[in-house]
Amino acid sequence: MIEIFANSQELARGAAEYFVERSGEAVAQKGFFTVALSGGSTPKVLYQLLAAPEEPFLSQVPWSRTHFFWSDERHVRQDNPESNYRMAHEAMLSRVPVPESNIHRVHSENPDANAAANEYERTLLQLTRQSLPQLDLILLGLGPDGHTASIFPGSEVLHETQRLVAAPWVEKFDSYRITMTLPLLNNAASVLFLVSGAEKAEIVQQVIEGPKQYPAQAVQPTHGQLLWMLDKDAADGLSNRHE
Ligand code: 6PG
């Protein structure tokens, strides 16, 4: 499913409404909500909106019953400006009534990225008590090269079938990344791709309407919902405008 919004602000509002809806359903069903946050720049507006005192979302999200994870993380300390945890903390988590014990960040300060990935996998398994955790909502972005989370074109992690979290080396960043793998992403109850801006129009068209060649196309939830939320600029290349 694809939803297109007039601009990045309306896109964030649409995503906030979906977040509230999913959190309410999950808590009604099983008493808690598990969500994986994405990094990069696009979701920051969403996080700020969810925490904004003048907006309805702050009182609508069941923060005390919401468990936060990350779909990927950079191999940096949590206070590094590059940290996805830091971005979400500053934009939202430090401004909402969520218990610290509900925030499950990647211990990316660990110099051994692979060990950090293994530890994060154990955290997911322990908390969900599922051999293949089904997170209620996973947020993802889309890079200009068709990557999502930290699953980049040509990466060995594309072929991972056992591990839930991996630490691929990313040549172009000369660094490791810690990322949820396809088996975990595709077991989610819902996956939301949030994509904004004219610079993404070409890759959005190729990923949604083109032949299979990009990592983001491998995200096809087995039982769950796949939702693309785009602003008008990012959707500009789509032949079938889904308005
Ligand atoms: C990261 C992300 C990554 C991101 C895309 C899009 O850690 O960088 O998780 O997958 O979602 O690169 O990033 P922008 O939203 O900044 O364009």
Side-chain angles (χ1 to χ4, degrees), residues 58 63-64 93 95-99:
L58 182 58
W63 301 103
S64 66
L93 299 172
R95 304 166 54 210
V96 299
V98 60

Side-chain angles (χ1 to χ4, degrees), residues 25-75:
E25 286 166 2
V27 169
Q29 262 163 30
K30 56 193 172 100
F32 63 93
F33 172 56
T34 54
V35 57
L37 302 177
S38 58
S41 55
T42 306
K44 189 174 180 177
V45 189
L46 162 64
Y47 302 158
Q48 290 167 331
L49 201 55
L50 288 168
E54 69 279 7
E55 295 284 347
F57 311 113
L58 182 58
S59 63
Q60 294 170 336
V61 173
W63 301 103
S64 66
R65 294 171 172 276
T66 298
H67 287 263
F68 290 94
F69 298 89
W70 277 259
S71 38
D72 76 324
E73 184 56 282
R74 288 85 181 269
H75 193 212

Side-chain angles (χ1 to χ4, degrees), residues 160-180:
E160 182 59 59
T161 58
Q162 302 305 317
R163 301 182 67 184
L164 305 178
V165 184
W169 175 257
V170 184
E171 200 59 46
K172 69 175 179 181
F173 298 127
D174 196 32
S175 173
Y176 287 99
R177 286 279 187 100
I178 294 115
T179 186
M180 291 184 172

